[in-house]
Amino acid sequence: MHKTVLDTMEETIWLAKWPDQTFVYISPSIVEFLGYTPDDFYKNSSVFHEIIDPRDLDFVVSALRNLPELKKTVLEFRITHKNGTRKWVGARLKLVEIDGESYINGIAYDIQNRKITEIESNKHSAFLQKVIDTVPDLLFVRDAGGRFVIANKAVAKWYNTSLDNLIGKTDYDFNPNKKEVNHFLAGDRRVLETGKEYIINEEKITHPDGSAYWTKTRKRPICNDHGLRLVLGLATNVTETKNIQLKLERQNQLKELLLHLATRFINAQPDQIPDRINEALAKIGTYIQADRVYILEYLYDEEITKNTYEWCNENISPQIHLLQAFPLKDMQEWVDIHWQNQEVHYPNVAELPDGPIKAILQKQGIQSLITIPIIPNQYCYGSIGFDFVRHIHDSSNEELEILRLFASMLAKVYDSENVQKEMSGYRERIDAILNEMPGSIWSVNWPEKDTLYFSPSAEKLYGRPMSEIAGNSDVSFEFTHPEDKEKMEYAMQEVLEKGFSQAEYRMLKGDGSYIWINTKMQAVKENGKIVRVHGTDVDITQQKEAEALLQQAKSSAEFASRAKSQFLANMSHELRTPLTSILGFSETLESTTLDKDQTKMLDYIIVSANALKEIVGNILDIAKIEAGKFDLYPKSFNVHKLIKQTASMIQYQVDKKRINLVLKIEKNIPNLFLDPIRLQQVLLNLLSNAVKFTDKGSITVTAKTTCRDPLCVYFEVADTGIGISEDYQELIFQQFQQVDGSSTRKYGGVGLGLTICSEILNMMDSKIFLQSKENAGSTFYFTVCSPESNTKEEGATKINIPVSENVYNILFAEDDMTNIFVLNHFLKKILPNSRIIETNNGRQALNNLSDDIDLVIMDLNMPVMDGWTAAAIMRVSRPDLPIIAVTAAADDESVQKAYDAGCFDCLTKPYSLVSLATVIKKWLVL
Ligand code: ADP
């Protein structure tokens, strides 16, 4: 008898002697499973080892060796079918004693599909990590709570931690600068709220070691519709470019300034010279941020020095009157240095040795000082001085060189006869200073667009000789990549309208390759009219390449997110099938005679299985939401009934906790036309939470209309429980968030309920709100609007079991042993007098389809022939036959496919006695 049962099982079961492992029994399903017959194994036990994939052989052999210690084990390994194909199998092994002899008892089953999904999912994650680790910049995916979901090694390195430690945490955990983190997360929120890309072109961020970096950050929503609310970010380090750009800008200003001053001197009439000198002092003083700039004339005959010109910064007192006849001998030291054509440079006056110079400088409040000789024709005419009063200023060599150039320019002014000729030579001297710059500076006059200036470094940047660059009035347009020309025209337009513009474009180098250029342009106006446009060009090719990598990574991240959703969906499918059996058997056991202890244990089993069912359901819902496959099925329903029904589901827990449940439902609310199952899911979740977190007081459910056309109803679930602190109020609507996240926490749950509630309401164009105070209670509320009102309710009518005492012929196809048992049992309760024809796959069901069959129950995923195919074939010969599909997949695609194949209805596993009875009653002609 036992053997007959075993012979019919789909899994392969065997019994072999231990330790020699000679087979005494192996079930016939081995033929379908592996292509070998039981005889093959009886004759030669080593077949078992031969079929194991060599890669897994050691692992299986060592597991067998450890069996005496463990007594039982579960293994997963690869085998080769007799026809040469490979597949993954699972095996449960156990050492048993039968009549004093040791045996090994095994059950093997097919796990090919699950394994493939698992491997694919892992492969994709590993692949994704590899891709993003190749990006040298900071690449991350953060959730709405700022937690890192994905990050590359660069981010971990930035925070001096490991990737494992980073994931799940926020910047707050690593970055002491809270203000900066707030700013980062505000950017994330902006992306999540607008669903649009956000680019922060230049942003200064601080490394944990305190150093500052310039970054360009791009943030994008990864999935914008129903998908994950995540932000994908790439922060590129543009410090080098920025510094070059800053330096270039400064150089550009200086070049403008010097050329401008030179032109002013060239064009000046002799009587205009004093004004021009004053103007020049002001400009150069402002540029180097000095507080005072002055010219001292050395009158050797009178043995005095005289301050002839002075410019003072705002709020700095003039000193010119004090220095009209200062004894030369008191500053002999400076005069000597100046005669040697050298400057006097005191970066910090306070550090000078005590003496008359230090005393006089300190009396004037000077902290740093530079004086440079003015030497026309080898004669020291005097000096130009720069005082820094408000702060210490240490000039760079570069700056000193510029000031020297300026002093020599002044010297030419004093040697007035040669002014015009000398000034024209300045361009070369400016070039010499600017030669080292990696970018290029240019200026064109407007509107003629003649090149006025191109820094010599342009040759290197564009890979073209200066003759080609400077001789071309439209250089940037001619060599601009055709696709970027429009962008450049727009930037040009903008600089004319707004005075400033910038653009990133590709430029054709002399060697035929393209480089990315960042150009910044500025318009110079004279008498309200634009006379010149000048700008800076910097090579940003590397930065652009990093951005292109981001694009790749983005696609991979989306891919991985889909793989994850798929994995979750598959996993919850795998969990649902055994749950059907647990719940089904429990219901069956409940109706048998049990003692007190057994009843109690069964209660626990049912409660736990239901809790597990809810979690699996939630995971599946989340996976569906993330995959954008979560659909609503609106129909008309009565609000009053829905709330009462929902409340009755938690009444038991409410009574147990001795709290009150108050329903305040406005009378005669018209029927709503929405998805009642999903709305009930929201209410049930809020109510379950309310009960869970309330120990005394009451829970109040309110429902009232706020508007009749369109019909809007306000729902509220209020409790007097532990409440939620303000810090957590926004957070708890996110996935896996709980106020108490510790492992020792008091309340169960996984933190998905509110996420699903808020997603469901989101799909109903509504939003959930929360008002709560710690230890005073929480109120969750929302308003839903229905496009139609007063529609007739399509509710389920109460079902009596048994549904009918008549004799019907019910054919079912189901391959899972435990589900077969449950189905048989349920059918006997629903239609006690019927004839039940049990088959295990679509082919068998077709073979048993006679004209007197009244109803078919068809599992969808089955070996040999699946349920969709069988249903479609049946439909041809029996157009009116009710076929009810049963599936654990619950994805809308499988269900839709079932309807397409001709099924009348679809039941999702795990189904209850009542739901099966309801469907049968609906379709059986009673
Ligand atoms: P779960 O209840 O499964 O943990 P939820 O998403 O439904 O997940 O709730 C998330 C968290 O929000 C809970 O763990 C709890 O910390 C808090 N919470 C929800 N509802 C209430 C409530 N009525 N009173 C107090 N805390 C609540």
Side-chain angles (χ1 to χ4, degrees), residues 685 689 692-693 719 724 732 737-739 749-751 753-754 778:
N685 206 301
N689 279 346
K692 196 165 22 164
F693 299 105
D719 64 52
I724 301 161
I732 54 162
Q737 280 303 322
Q738 300 179 311
V739 173
V750 289
L754 288 174
S778 315

Side-chain angles (χ1 to χ4, degrees), residues 11-29:
E11 287 93 354
T12 298
I13 295 169
W14 76 87
L15 196 67
K17 281 203 178 128
W18 182 264
D20 59 351
Q21 296 177 41
T22 45
F23 284 85
V24 292
Y25 171 75
I26 186 156
S27 58
S29 62

Side-chain angles (χ1 to χ4, degrees), residues 214-394:
W214 284 95
T215 54
K216 170 176 178 172
T217 309
R218 269 167 185 269
K219 292 185 175 180
R220 297 177 178 190
I222 267 199
C223 267
N224 41 11
D225 299 340
H226 307 296
L228 285 172
R229 304 267 167 102
L230 296 177
V231 177
L232 168 68
L234 178 86
T236 312
N237 183 354
V238 292
T239 312
E240 208 179 317
T241 317
K242 177 71 185 174
N243 285 343
I244 295 173
Q245 194 75 263
L246 283 174
K247 230 169 161 182
L248 272 175
E249 272 162 26
R250 208 166 147 71
Q251 302 280 36
N252 202 14
Q253 283 168 10
L254 181 74
K255 178 219 79 189
E256 276 286 308
L257 176 66
L258 293 180
L259 283 179
H260 172 74
L261 295 179
T263 332
R264 299 282 284 164
F265 283 127
I266 292 167
N267 298 331
Q269 299 299 323
D271 62 332
Q272 289 175 318
I273 292 284
D275 277 352
R276 298 286 148 93
I277 292 177
N278 274 326
E279 185 189 325
L281 297 193
K283 290 218 154 134
I284 200 99
T286 312
Y287 175 76
I288 66 162
Q289 296 173 345
D291 292 314
R292 216 179 281 126
V293 185
Y294 46 89
I295 292 174
L296 296 178
E297 200 175 320
Y298 301 158
L299 303 173
Y300 301 101
D301 292 346
E302 297 162 47
E303 296 186 358
I304 55 161
T305 179
K306 187 178 170 194
N307 190 170
T308 48
Y309 293 91
E310 184 185 49
W311 165 85
C312 293
N313 208 335
E314 258 175 58
N315 303 325
I316 299 293
S317 55
Q319 304 285 321
I320 191 162
H321 53 283
L322 300 175
L323 293 166
Q324 286 307 305
F326 190 77
L328 255 187
K329 65 172 181 7
D330 285 355
M331 50 179 295
Q332 195 57 46
E333 199 181 315
W334 288 14
V335 176
D336 292 345
I337 295 173
H338 287 156
W339 266 97
Q340 289 162 33
N341 204 3
Q342 280 176 8
E343 67 270 355
V344 174
H345 181 196
Y346 302 145
N348 188 355
V349 171
E351 287 174 1
L352 286 178
D354 289 338
I357 290 184
K358 182 173 177 176
I360 190 163
L361 295 179
Q362 286 195 324
K363 207 172 134 199
Q364 297 175 66
I366 297 167
Q367 301 205 51
S368 306
L369 169 137
I370 307 163
T371 65
I372 299 171
I374 302 173
I375 308 187
N377 290 325
Q378 281 136 37
Y379 173 81
C380 184
Y381 169 86
S383 62
I384 172 164
F386 302 85
D387 290 351
F388 299 87
V389 176
R390 284 178 288 200
H391 41 79
I392 290 175
H393 179 92
D394 192 0

Side-chain angles (χ1 to χ4, degrees), residues 618 685-686 689-694 719 721-724 732-734 737-740 745 747-755 772 777-778 780:
N618 278 349
N685 206 301
L686 297 181
N689 279 346
V691 184
K692 196 165 22 164
F693 299 105
T694 306
D719 64 52
I722 60 168
I724 301 161
I732 54 162
F733 293 102
Q734 292 160 17
Q737 280 303 322
Q738 300 179 311
V739 173
D740 180 3
R745 63 188 211 270
Y747 306 99
V750 289
L752 284 177
L754 288 174
T755 315
S772 180
S778 315
F780 288 87

Side-chain angles (χ1 to χ4, degrees), residues 427 441-446 448-455 466-475 532-533:
R427 171 162 296 179
I441 297 171
W442 50 265
S443 56
V444 292
N445 64 2
W446 202 261
E448 299 83 0
K449 292 205 243 170
D450 294 327
T451 306
L452 291 177
Y453 182 77
F454 250 105
S455 61
M466 193 51 92
S467 56
E468 211 176 300
I469 303 168
N472 191 325
S473 61
D474 249 344
V475 59
R532 266 195 319 283
V533 175

